[in-house]
Amino acid sequence: VLLLKRKNFFKHICNCFIERIKEKIHGWDGESSDKNSLLSILDKQEKWRDALKLKKFSIGNYHGDLNYRNILIVQEGENIFPKLIDFASIGKGKSPAKDWAKLEREIKFRFLRDIMSDKNAFRETLKELETACDDRKPLPANNPHISEAQRLISLIRREYSVKTNNISDTPHLEYLFFLFYTTLAFIDHEDVKGQPVIQNSVIDSANRIFKQINKLIDSGRLDYKYPGIKEIEPVSSVIAQPLTTPSMPLVIPEEYKNWIINRCKNMDIE
């Protein structure tokens, strides 16, 4: 009975969340046809389900809450590297695409938004950035911050395709699927409440991702792998090294280690 009540409670929370997302989409200033398509996919996903039901997706370990607040930049001597914190949502047996996609969302709606005080200019720049990333065309080097955002997004997308190539039949489509939903979820985030221009920018982004997903499905290119934008990716990048290079171990602060080991005993943690 308790489990059933708990399940019904979370189902109610989920339904309330989706209704809030729909309310924001109804107020979006986009095209009516785009608005209806976004609302429709939240209710039924037969097209996606039928196209992907026989496909294999990646399953692995995941952080669960990989956002900019949970990545620390640490310097030890001359070495600078990232460390992860906040492992309350860590787990296994699901697609790690959620973590990777959330990194892209953070770059666009934290990093890029924070350096642009003009919200309307941010909306137009975001459109240019995403279109250029989808078309794999480097942006003009007018603003180093925007160029860096494109370089990072290209690296993240390409690396996900490379690292899941042997465990997923649809690496980039899988990535876009999680990017779509994690972007839509940001509409209800505290950081954008009361900011209609930013909320519309988020829905703009979700709509562009939605169209990319349908484009791949309609063209039958389900196994598409994002090759990156070679013109803007440095050859010496550590991330760009081939998979034969041993990956760095996950660095976990000591105070979290025992808790994590008890929670996920079968995971490889160093």
Side-chain angles (χ1 to χ4, degrees), residues 194-210:
Q195 301 186 60
V197 176
I198 300 301
Q199 287 182 338
N200 283 334
S201 300
V202 175
I203 302 174
D204 287 346
S205 178
N207 186 50
R208 284 189 287 270
I209 299 163
F210 175 73

Side-chain angles (χ1 to χ4, degrees), residues 44-211:
K44 51 185 180 180
Q45 302 174 9
E46 284 84 354
K47 177 180 178 180
W48 291 0
R49 181 199 63 198
D50 293 344
L52 303 173
K53 61 184 178 182
L54 298 179
K55 297 297 180 181
K56 179 179 66 176
F57 293 88
S58 63
I59 297 177
N61 302 335
Y62 61 94
H63 180 276
D65 191 20
L66 195 57
N67 61 69
Y68 80 104
R69 294 188 179 96
N70 292 333
I71 302 175
L72 304 181
I73 304 301
V74 179
Q75 181 169 0
E76 293 184 0
E78 297 182 354
N79 298 318
I80 299 177
F81 52 89
K83 283 190 176 183
L84 300 181
I85 61 173
D86 189 0
F87 298 97
S89 302
I90 197 169
K92 61 178 182 177
K94 293 185 179 179
S95 175
K98 180 180 179 181
D99 284 340
W100 291 69
K102 189 173 284 189
L103 283 177
E104 177 174 332
R105 189 191 75 180
E106 294 292 286
I107 291 169
K108 293 187 292 193
F109 293 104
R110 307 280 196 184
F111 167 69
L112 189 61
R113 191 189 73 179
D114 287 350
I115 64 173
M116 299 189 69
S117 56
D118 188 329
K119 294 180 175 60
N120 290 306
F122 164 74
R123 189 176 185 181
E124 288 303 314
T125 299
L126 179 63
K127 178 181 179 180
E128 293 176 9
L129 172 64
E130 292 185 328
T131 301
C133 287
D134 291 335
D135 295 342
R136 298 176 42 244
K137 295 180 180 178
L139 288 166
N142 300 330
N143 187 315
H145 297 298
I146 298 173
S147 296
E148 180 65 7
Q150 187 185 26
R151 186 183 73 85
L152 292 173
I153 291 172
S154 175
L155 283 170
I156 291 170
R157 290 184 177 189
R158 178 171 61 81
E159 278 300 297
Y160 189 79
S161 285
V162 169
K163 294 189 181 302
T164 58
N165 183 43
N166 295 328
I167 57 176
S168 174
D169 294 336
T170 60
H172 189 56
L173 190 60
E174 175 181 316
Y175 177 89
L176 290 178
F177 178 84
F178 280 92
L179 182 61
F180 173 68
Y181 281 106
T182 196
T183 299
L184 271 183
F186 199 67
I187 304 171
D188 198 48
H189 199 280
E190 289 291 336
D191 283 6
V192 300
K193 286 184 177 179
Q195 301 186 60
V197 176
I198 300 301
Q199 287 182 338
N200 283 334
S201 300
V202 175
I203 302 174
D204 287 346
S205 178
N207 186 50
R208 284 189 287 270
I209 299 163
F210 175 73
K211 289 182 177 180

